[in-house]
Amino acid sequence: MNYTYRIDPNVVQQTELLEWMETCRGVYNYALRELKDWIASRKCQVDRCSLEKEYIIPADEPFPSYHRQQNNLPKAKKQFPHLGKVHSQVLQTTIRRLHDTWEAFKKRGHGFPRFKKFGQFKSFVFPQFKHNPINGFTIKLPKIGEVPINLHRPIPNGFKVKQVRVLSRVRGTQWYVVVTLESDISVPDVPVHGRAIGIDLGLERFLTASDRSFQERPKFFKSMQRKLKLLQRRAARKQKGSQNWEKAQIEVARMHHRIANRRKDFHLKTAHQLCDRAQTIFAEDLNVKGLTRGMLRTDCVDAAFGQFLSLTEWVCWKRGVYFAKVNPNGTSQTCPSCLATVSKGLEVREHHCPECGYRTHRDHAAAEMVLHRGQENVVSQGLWGTETACQVGLSGVYDLDKWRGAGIPNREAGKPVL
């Protein structure tokens, strides 16, 4: 469990933190350079490599793994004394960060790790503490000292601080710490229970629930776009690298930070409102990356559906509400009343089924379909209430129930009537 707090380091501490960021960035880039050189020297046959363009590494040189690069840090400190100013475990976690990215790249097949430019490395981690670093209204960071912290909510009883991540925001003018807490208490998975609703996300309405409630979409970026454009224009007129240019860039970054905070605050409040109304929530498993590449990409990025689903899942876990995602394909093209296919374009905002005559708003019909699919999933898995033979999908049981519902006696229910 992570808690984020605002800290207020003094000028000396801010300068030291920024130096640590740049040192970690240099270590990250150096380790990545070793990794790329080793790969480049082995991407083709030995007798066909170019001696002028390829970096040749001996064939018996092992792969620069995490443990090898971590063990080389003490040697590097002797050659580069400024590395000794940074806490040793902070440099080790920087190497760990690179190899986590490398392992993720090998798993997904794309997204090779990139070099970090100046200002792109914005965090580092203290992985462990012997004692609780938070004391009253200060947090004690190794080699940094005590830093004032805005402890807006206390550490829960029974939890201890496992690690602390220091974050830099708004071009190094705002600082935060993400405190990771751990406890020996094991929290069981939330079962399916209580009232269930399905939600549909969209651009006309940000959220529409199956109980006919909806939430309008605040346009965070578009409402501040005019002021943001003015600040960007002022920054573009300044001489690059000057103090006035840096001040203008800070104003632009502060505006972006404010927009992001307003959006996150709205997402959290909406998630809590959903948890107040239901104990089981189903949502669409949207292709968030695909939405950011379409014609409405600006509005989709401004709505941040991916962030909302992630925060909703976290809020549901914290409050004991069951949350699950369902297949989003065809939820707006299927009638929730009779399950017939009703094709309609995006310009059609009303659902009208020609088979059963069911009429409602398009987003409401999609939310009802999400609820229907979610209930089907949990029933087929035996998660809803008491499990019966009808709920595990046994062959023939569904037909038997239909015959009984039609009034056919049990003795005549051996075969269907043709």
Side-chain angles (χ1 to χ4, degrees), residues 198 282 326 336 339 366-377:
F282 299 107
V326 302
L339 303 182
E368 288 183 323
M369 197 61 207
V370 170
L371 175 62
H372 179 72
R373 289 185 180 180
Q375 290 176 338
E376 278 187 342
N377 292 340

Side-chain angles (χ1 to χ4, degrees), residues 273-288:
Q273 290 175 3
L274 291 175
C275 293
D276 291 337
R277 301 205 307 264
Q279 291 76 41
T280 299
I281 300 175
F282 299 107
E284 294 177 313
D285 190 8
L286 297 175
N287 180 14
V288 181

Side-chain angles (χ1 to χ4, degrees), residues 205-255:
R205 296 174 177 176
F206 177 78
L207 182 144
T208 304
S210 57
D211 58 358
R212 296 185 179 274
S213 62
F214 61 91
Q215 179 71 45
E216 296 293 340
R217 179 174 68 93
K219 299 179 181 180
F220 304 101
F221 177 75
K222 288 191 174 181
S223 62
M224 307 294 292
Q225 188 175 10
R226 185 175 180 181
K227 188 173 182 180
L228 181 62
K229 184 178 180 180
L230 178 62
L231 295 176
Q232 290 174 336
R233 185 179 300 171
R234 290 177 181 174
R237 292 173 179 171
K238 301 295 188 295
Q239 183 180 358
K240 188 173 182 179
S242 63
Q243 292 185 356
N244 289 333
W245 177 84
E246 182 64 26
K247 292 178 182 179
Q249 293 295 333
I250 291 176
E251 292 295 329
V252 174
R254 190 171 297 168
M255 180 59 65

